[in-house]
Amino acid sequence: MFIEELIVIFFFFLNQFSGLTRWLRKKKNKNKNKNQKQQQKMFHTVQYQPLRLITQNSLSKICLKLMFSRLVTFERISKSWFSSHSLIGNKNIILMGPPGAGKTTVGRIVGQKLDCPVIDIDDDVLERTWNMSVSEKLQDVGNEQFLEEEGKALLKFSASGSVISLTGSNPMHTAGMQHVKRNGIVVYLDVPTMVIMSRLKSMKVDRIVGQGPATSLKDILQFRKQFYKRWYDVRVLCGGNMAAEVVAEKVLDAVKRYQNSEVETYVSTRSTQNNSHKYFSDVVVGGLASDGGLFVPERGLPVLTAEEWQTLIGATYAERAQVILERCIHPADIPASKLREIIGTAYGENFTCSKIAPVRHLTGNQFLLELFHGPTASFKDFALQMMPHIFAYCIPRSCNYLVLVATSGDTGSAVLDGFSRLHDTDKQRIAVMSFFPEDGVSPIQKSQMIGCQKENAWSVGVKSDFDFCQTAIKKIFTNSDYTGYLTVEYGTALAAANSINWARLLPQVVYHASAYLDLVHQGIIIFGDPVDVCIPTGNFGNILAALYAKMMGIPIRKCICASNENNVLTDFIRTGIYDLRGRKLVPTFSPAVDILKSSNLERYLHLIADGDGQLLIQLYNQLENQGHFQLQKDLLEKLQQNLVAGWCSEEDCLAAIHSVYSTTGYILDTHTAVAKVVADRLQDRTCPIIISSTAHYSKFAPAILRALKITEIKQNPLSQLHLLSSYSPLPPVHWGLLATLKKNENEGHRVCAADLS
Ligand SMILES: *Cc1c(COP(=O)(O)O)cnc(C)c1O
Ligand SMILES: *[C@@H]1O[C@H](CO)[C@@H](O)[C@H](O)[C@H]1NC(C)=O
Ligand SMILES: *[C@@H]1O[C@H](CO)[C@@H](O)[C@H](O)[C@H]1NC(C)=O
Ligand SMILES: *[C@@H]1O[C@H](CO)[C@@H](O)[C@H](O)[C@H]1NC(C)=O
């Protein structure tokens, strides 16, 4: 009994207190100093939280009281600890980057601003140790030996409370770097290689350390990047024309952010107080806020300057993702090095196109952003190849988690696939269960979900629609009797992987930004030119990510929201009235947007209402109780500045697929076709428009066959795909999908009634 109580208390803390997940995870990490700080910090933020879950048992209360009295003590310690330290305390700021990045110049300015010693490894350490200039030494001993001696000199060096400018080659010596990093924050001055080349040229440098006679300067600079990426704690993006003064300011800002792990907090859209801060880790694990709202970053999203964005024009998808996500996720939650590992796994080998999210010209001013090259052939893979790894990193090592998802079709397979790719140890403690409308998904989607079941991933068909599945999950989450039971009986907590989870949204921001940068890269626009985007919208996740990309500085003019005949959202965006009364969900050819309650819209309303939680409570209570709400006029105008909406009939959808195929040989999926029709209708052709192609047409083969007027429709999904394939369409049939379908023809799944119990 007592053990059970402890488990309950443990989970209670886990779910209630901001910072706890971060802290428990940190505890496992080796860094002792930080650990102590985190611990103090965690206790510092938790003490006044209300008790919600477990109050019925007096034994728990006693235990909680005991723990609280300890928290208060920690609180005092932490206050005094913080007040006695300046920005860096006795740590160093270590500037790292290629030759010509401006480490020395920037280092001097930063030193001046902080009023602390400045050490240049070249001049102050190496030349003094060797009693000769670096270039003399290099001539003396040669490349290999030079790196070795340089590393040795670094190992002997120590400093504190200083700004240190490394040499360009220091990061190539592992032991030396481990030594300096121990007492410092490594700041990477990330300057585009082309800029470095031209700077070195004007400085009349034509060879750098490590460059043999056969290698070009460009190659060696590219080669070096892997070492820089290995060591940095924070990155400063430096554009070509940025003054050293500006870079120095950025360095200080980046260090401040790094040092202040409490600054980036999240609140519920329905929060009316200003004291329930959560961190990224809490929000990933928590999914939905306890008041029924959705988590949003309290101070909005970070903004990148045009100059910073432009450094990403030539970058790969993974590099763009890295830079954008580093800005959105505090390193205390996920350090840059871990993020790189996660991004590498997510967008490494499992996308069938090396560009991950390629942009393709369709016709006139229309471009398609192909988001279906992931393993389960819809855009959901972008978030769900990544989110499970983020989740596994954010949860404490000692807990089990059951992830619940409601799906209108494509999420199911993407979630199952994503979570089944976790490392084996994570699979033992993280399982996922996906609920889908048994009769509301296409036969191929269903086969796919069944085929993606693994030892830690199951699918359940529900005899109802998507909205029921989603509402049921929300109710399960807020049923403390049930969650308490799972905790006590199974040591297991619940989590959500729906598009309401913040970790699902963030990776989606990346491809909207990436698409814009690709158009710049292809010379279709120059950075700063406007584009429109048009997105088939259901739960408002994908289009919200585009709105976020806009807020972060991508020059998107309008986001065009495309619905099918379930057009509640279109009506809302046009009139400000969200009205579910008398509406029934109509099954369509584009089932992934057959949604009436568009969850993520709440986040956008919160944004335009300047975080007015009271208003959000009122609107959503009204929706719940009376089936409708109306947005006031000023907010509607604000909303319409960014959003335009239209809807497409079933007939028009199929006609668009037919006409695009007959004019270009390209097959649109049914959702993409909905967007194409709306884009044709609503866009004024004064700027390019990027249409999100959210799924591969193979997933909706029967509708496609019908649209293309291919009469011989066979029942079996696999033979439908073979039939489509025989037309050699563009793009070819999705092979990952074929593989899944081949595999699972005989497997089964559970079906249950539309009954919450
Ligand atoms: C999920 C899905 C959508 C809807 O995306 P939201 O983010 O919910 O608006 C659109 N198209 C396809 C193919 C999908 O799978
Ligand atoms: C350093 O080198 C100079 C000549 O290059 C020499 O005069 C001087 O004595 C040397 N100093 C030491 C400490 O070796
Ligand atoms: C909440 O507090 C932060 C600073 O702690 C402040 O910037 C913000 O404006 C406050 N928000 C509200 C709604 O009071
Ligand atoms: C996915 O990537 C992993 C390695 O990250 C690889 O082992 C696996 O075969 C890939 N699967 C597919 C379907 O590409």
Side-chain angles (χ1 to χ4, degrees), residues 344-346 348-352 375 385 417 421 735-736:
T345 310
E349 294 155 33
N350 289 319
F351 279 68
T352 54
Q385 287 295 304
D417 185 280
R421 283 178 205 267
W735 67 265

Side-chain angles (χ1 to χ4, degrees), residues 335-364:
S337 55
K338 183 69 197 179
L339 204 51
R340 167 158 296 107
E341 195 186 309
I342 292 175
I343 290 170
T345 310
Y347 307 127
E349 294 155 33
N350 289 319
F351 279 68
T352 54
C353 173
S354 63
K355 296 200 71 182
I356 311 298
V359 178
R360 163 198 284 268
H361 181 234
L362 183 62
T363 159

Side-chain angles (χ1 to χ4, degrees), residues 54-65:
I54 314 292
T55 46
Q56 62 273 55
N57 189 300
S58 57
L59 184 54
S60 336
K61 281 185 191 159
I62 293 167
C63 292
L64 286 173
K65 267 189 198 143

Side-chain angles (χ1 to χ4, degrees), residues 271-275 277 298-299 610-611:
S271 162
T272 51
Q273 299 152 0
N274 205 358
N275 59 3
H277 312 291
E298 196 169 5
R299 287 162 195 79
D610 294 325

